[in-house]
Amino acid sequence: MSDQPLSPIALHKALDRIWRTPPGWGRLSSVNHTILGKRFMVLALVFFAIGGLLSMLIRAQLATPNSAFIGPEIYNQIFTMHGVVMMFLFAIPMFEGFAIYMLPKLLGARDLAFPRMTAYGYWCYLFGGSILIIALLVGAAPDSGWFMYTPLSSKPFTPGINADVWLLGITFVEISAVTAAVEIFVTILKMRAPGMSLTRMPLFAWYMLVTAGMMIIGFPPLILGSILLELERAFGLPFFDPTRGGDPLLWQHLFWLFGHPEVYIIFLPAAGAISTMIPVFAQQPILGYRAIIAAIVAMGFLSFGLWVHHMFTVGIPHLALAFFSAASALVAIPTAVQIFAWLGTLASGKPRWDVPMLYIFGFFFVFVCGGLTGVMLAMVPFNTQAHDTYFVVAHLHYVLVGGFVFPMLAALYYWLPHISGRQSLYKLSIPAFWLIFIGFNLTFFLMHLTGLMGMPRRISTYPSNWGWDWLNLLSSVGGFILTMGFALVLADLILQMKLGRRFGRDPWRAATLEWATPTPPPSYNFASLPHIESRADQVLPALIGPRLAAGEGYLGFARNNEQETLAVDMVTGAVEHLVILPQNSSLPLWTALATGTFFVSFLFGLYWFAPFGALLTIALFFCWTHRLGRQHDTGPVDIGRGVSVVRDGESPWNLTVLANRTALAVDSTLYASLLFGGLFLLTIAPAWDRLTPIALPSVALVAAALASGLAILCVFWSRRSNAQNTSIALPLIGALFLQLATIIALLALMLAVPNPTEHARNATMLVTLGYAAIHAGVAALITGHALWRAARGYVSAARATDVTLAWLWTAYAFGALILALAMTYGLSLFGRP
């Protein structure tokens, strides 16, 4: 780094050499969030087009009674894949891509916390989605509905690989979702611009923080359910078979523990975009900033108390029905707080109309209608009558299309100039909006009527004497009008990107940081990082943008050919440490391919080969850390503006530690769902009254607990030794051997479980012990990795991240083991001797 400041052009060239993605095949190695965010969004739009085509086939089939356009078997695949594509391959990845692209720019950072993990998530999304689409093309797509209810999706009723495609493809895609959730959560908490405290964050960041937290808690139950159902289908473990102690309702509980929060996971990012756009067009700061934050948090909490809303007709006790009905109605309150804040902002400002505001108007109309029918369905008597009719289909689309698609279209028109660097041309925009608005309401409003007239969901044809004919025909006409509107939007966006006029910063006169970057944004976002002294949705991009480009903020220089950005205190926003981000690498691509071999092996029944895919994936993950970090302490380094901070490896609160704590939250939620499943079957499932106790080897029980407990002591010893700058090799080696002894003891216990295919009690014991064994193995891997890093000089008293991670995972493995032993021992005693 030179002592003389660089000119803005020289600074740009220096930073671009460090941050840019190489051309050609080198683009496959990109880990830059701008490129990956655009890839996510483009791929999500491709899947949206596929889902739209499937919906047209559905409407063509239902346009007339007794239609022979599509046979029942193909129709089942088409309506299942329509839901799967729209929910799993479009809605969630679309907002993830938008957040990946936008968050660092809104927060005043140069990239996300873990760029390689973002790339890995993208490739998992691409490969997992491709599995589902290829299965559709060859006629082997899932056909049991997008929610895959058991026993219909169990082996006796779906003997082919159709259900396996869903279970394995969706789990593959969910890896992408979970990694994105951890990435977003850590980035928002730690990668804000200096001075940006939590109370100064833009509202979109608040929305995404709560959304990421909901994904961390909400996705593991679905992943667990998919694992258990695949184990039942592949190996006969009877978790959902009522003749062998299972219960189909367990699947519904696990699925809707994810499924209903997912509605809000989809809505909240769209609401964040609306909260960002409305103040711009109202020319007035958002009203009720703190009230909106409270409403977001309340909605996040309440959404996890609603899952039985989808199960009112399965025989739930009346007291539980009353609780979940009240909770379903209560969630309307935080939603209303946000809507009234938006309307109040528009009413108190001087609104200017533009195409994004048209779609916001469409959002208000459609989403409020969907919310009103949602309150109707929250009432048990009405829900009982309308359950599984087209009224529910209409409500679902009014909520999801109104709450996500209309805001998404508004956001596309609003932020497209940022992506393309060109101002919008509105030749096709307005007719496209009206085609979408009219076509949507014509399609789905009439479904309320067919539902009230008794038309059930998921039927491929219907007779001509029940009065549904003309309503279905008009719905199908509306569907094709809607499709024409989306086709015009696509043409409009392409024309704007090709023909729009170039502009300088901030064409909307906005007040958020993303408009302080050049457009289209450079690979590093900001030539120097800003210091935020007020709310970050009330800045002046046209004023601060040139100053940041001139290097007047933090890190206004290029140094050591390293990608540098800053991490801050999670609450106050004070600068904490310097972050060195990993550069472009093809490792995420290869790791995703290795992960894919594991899932494909399971899909085609090559169970013997699946462990090789898992081992290859683990080995590639450990290759990511090669040469990351430093082999000597550096102490504080200059970051500009007269401030010096330590590097990330020397900070005890660095991104890696927070990410692993967050990953443990994901893991513990999955484990809690597993324990809940076992207790649910114990108390609810049939065929548990004639069991006999199982004699487990007490030596193995004691040995597993003792070895795991001693491993914790060894890792704690290594932390103390590291803090005193003495050797940590001996305690880590001891911990490693004790963790391996724990695995051996747990394997002995698993072998002592008799015939796990005979009853769900035995299967639950086997899987619970297997979970503990896997996590003892994870702790052993991380301990061994810490030992290897220490031997190479990457660990010291100041650089203690690897030892901290060994401590976290060993402690978690011990806790998981104790719960597993208690659960297993309790189940082994159940029955009459």
Side-chain angles (χ1 to χ4, degrees), residues 13 37 41 61 97 117 269 484 561 600 616 640 651 704:
K13 290 181 177 180
M41 290 188 283
Q61 170 70 13
M117 191 61 71
M484 289 188 288
N561 200 37
V600 172
L616 179 59
S651 171

Side-chain angles (χ1 to χ4, degrees), residues 363-375:
F363 154 77
F364 278 124
F365 180 85
V366 174
F367 184 74
V368 169
C369 290
L372 293 174
T373 57
V375 173

